[in-house]
Each structure stands twice: as structure tokens, then as C-alpha cells.
Amino acid sequence: QVQLVESGGGLVQPGGSLGLSCAASGSIFSINAMGWYRQAPGKERELVADITGVGDANYADSVKGRFTISRDNAKNTVSLQMNSLKPEDTAVYYCNVIYRDYERNILAAWGQGTLVTVSS
């Protein structure tokens, strides 16, 4: 069992900044990729950004230059710094971790989601 605990989120005005964090714990042998997805009302869940164990980051075109993903391998945490937020960034943000358990199975875990609302 792996637990992902998310923090951050909330209400912010357009142009503002917000940070999200996610901590993974449980039966983790190693973590491959960590990332953030989001789902807006009436839309499918989409990748926002992800990052490998060596720090290679990948971003959705819509957030490039505004969002920064980072991870702390020692603490099994991943963070997302969101700047210049727009109303269209409003969504529930989910942490995602691809990991190996102690049987070397490759599995995925999801956080419970945290709401980000960008509105004046």
C-alpha cells in the first residue's frame, strides 16, 4: 500500500501563484516518475507535468513557462509551483507516482486531489 498526501491548493486571483506538494509513503522500493494531473469540470484528466528520478521534467504546453515541477528523492515528495495562474487553470489537481514495490512490481498511485480555483 502506498499513500499520497497532497497539500496546497485553494483560491487565488488571476496572475497569482500557488504551490502544491505531495508526499509518498508506504511499501515503496523505488519511485520512477512523479507528476501532477488535473481535471476541470466536464473535462478529462490531463497531465500537467511530470519528472523522472534524475530530474527530467515534462510539461503540458498550456503550463510551460508558468509552472515548475520539482522532487526530493530523499523525502519521496513532489512539488508544483504555479505562477501567472489563469482562470483556465481551475481544476482538481492530482498527484501521481509510478513506483516499484518490494516485489519489483511497477504500480501507480494517485492522491486524493486538491482543488485549485483561479478567480477574481
Side-chain angles (χ1 to χ4, degrees), residues 42-57:
K43 295 188 176 181
E44 293 187 355
R45 191 174 297 189
E46 63 175 0
L47 173 69
V48 177
D50 59 15
I51 186 168
T52 67
V54 295
D56 292 330

Side-chain angles (χ1 to χ4, degrees), residues 3 7 34 37 42 81 95 98 101 114:
Q3 296 79 41
S7 60
M34 306 183 82
Y37 287 70
Q81 179 62 37
C95 176
I98 307 298
D101 63 12
T114 185

Side-chain angles (χ1 to χ4, degrees), residues 20-100:
L20 304 178
S21 293
C22 173
S25 63
S27 300
I28 299 172
F29 174 75
S30 65
I31 294 180
N32 294 356
M34 306 183 82
W36 291 93
Y37 287 70
R38 67 186 181 186
Q39 187 166 19
K43 295 188 176 181
E44 293 187 355
R45 191 174 297 189
E46 63 175 0
L47 173 69
V48 177
D50 59 15
I51 186 168
T52 67
V54 295
D56 292 330
N58 174 54
Y59 296 93
D61 287 343
S62 59
V63 307
K64 281 181 181 177
R66 300 188 297 121
F67 292 10
T68 302
I69 190 170
S70 60
R71 65 185 277 180
D72 185 328
N73 292 331
K75 297 180 179 179
N76 286 346
T77 59
V78 61
S79 298
L80 185 69
Q81 179 62 37
M82 304 180 291
N83 299 327
S84 302
L85 283 160
K86 305 175 181 180
E88 51 263 44
D89 294 318
T90 295
V92 177
Y93 284 70
Y94 296 91
C95 176
N96 171 261
V97 170
I98 307 298
Y99 69 99
R100 286 185 183 271

